[in-house]
Amino acid sequence: MDLLGGTGGPVRVAGRELGRGELFGRASAVAAEIRGAGAAAVHATASLETVVAVVGGLLAGVPVVPLPPDSGPDERAHILADSGAGLLLAARGTGTGAGTGGPPLVPVDDLPPAGPHAEEAVPGDATALILYTSGTTGPPKGVPISRRAIAAGLDALAEAWAWTPGDVLVHGLPLFHVHGLVLGVLGPLRVGSPLVHTGRPKPEAYAAAAHDHAGTLFFGVPTVWSRTVADPSSAEALRGARLLVSGSAPLPVPVFERLAELTGHRPVERYGMTETLITISARADGDRRPGWVGTPLRDVETRLVGDDGGTVPPDGETPGELHVRGPQLFKGYLGRPGDTARSFAPGGWFRTGDIACADADGRHRIVGRASTDLIKSGGYRIGAGEVENALLAHPGVREAAVVGTPHADLGEQVTAYVVADGVGERQLIDFVAGRLSVHKRPRVVHLVGSLPRNAMGKVVKTRLGED
């Protein structure tokens, strides 16, 4: 099935630009070089070479395995071996480690452009990408994403966000995750809109793209938007945009409100996972409330399941584990039937492991991960995100992360790690107790210099408290 659009505006990455015809010509040369391979890894830097390599794999019908360019040798070796990638696509001389026991290098920048090449007649259920999870609970797991799943997910998002060829997408996100690669590269290719990738997601780069390229649609993770609101002149440059989208982690309520104040746009939040792509989102023409990620996309179903296995009522307050099903879901982990079986409930429902609330109108609020963000303290179920937002409302707090830690009497206690200026532990505990129910206040606050984060800006809670 066809996944990519053949026409549309140019692709610009870190100041270098290819027209759509030239992009597909170069990608066709890659396709001719790798056709028939079982899988091909891509050294996924923020570069035109990465875009050319990914498009070449899709044209050839060869599953593409994006490799984080900063991955350590053990992670890189695991992904290459687990995926079975027999080739590595990259620009020559980019420090990929090729020739040191890994697959042979195909230097995409050395291949002469070929004539336009149509996509191979590949079935829709064929694998387009093999993405890898973050590996927080063990070695990263391979997630094969089919061509049909990507097409369904992108078409549903285009409908929800009123995304058309007339938009100009701007972002600076990594090109090895769902957000930056699937939404941020394959999205504009499928829709037909130009792409301006800023190289890095700096506020001043977004402001420049708004001015120089008339950007209309901006993607960012919460860290990007937090830095943007700290730079009012760059934020105000985004007033001419049509839509600001935040994802990959919860957007703190104070950042949402400040972004709306400075840009005139209430950001769109959405929810997804590597295994599911995007399944829930606020709409361009709908209500956007801080802390809420919107309603299920077209053809997506959701349900919330309680500890007893029963369905949780959609009252906007009662949390339950979020289960989803829809056409953009993966079918199972690569070579891990046991993990696959544990991840699906009868009826094709994927157990996300995230805790959410839903209201009667189908709007969803993500409380956090069941493993780290649902705190069971003294008989209460407390969402870490709610406490984090309360802490962030204090003017002296710059960052906050909340977890449950063992407590002899309560089972778990609410423990906070906070980056703050001019405020102490007792003041922060009392501040939260004055805004939320008393049982939700942190029992312990650790004042720290920074929070551990991964490449997408998510706090790695398993590393909190490390020296």
Side-chain angles (χ1 to χ4, degrees), residues 125-144:
D125 59 0
T127 297
L129 301 173
I130 303 174
L131 304 177
Y132 275 78
T133 62
S134 59
T136 55
T137 58
K141 296 190 286 288
V143 179

Side-chain angles (χ1 to χ4, degrees), residues 340-366:
T340 299
R342 287 187 290 273
S343 296
F344 282 90
W349 292 99
F350 179 70
R351 309 176 194 264
T352 67
D354 284 320
I355 303 300
C357 303
D359 67 15
D361 294 322
R363 289 180 293 240
H364 289 64
R365 176 167 58 88
I366 306 300

Side-chain angles (χ1 to χ4, degrees), residues 98 135 236 344 373:
E236 289 168 1
F344 282 90
D373 293 322

Side-chain angles (χ1 to χ4, degrees), residues 95-112:
T96 62
T100 58
L105 174 69
V106 177
V108 298
D109 51 339
D110 281 358
L111 301 176

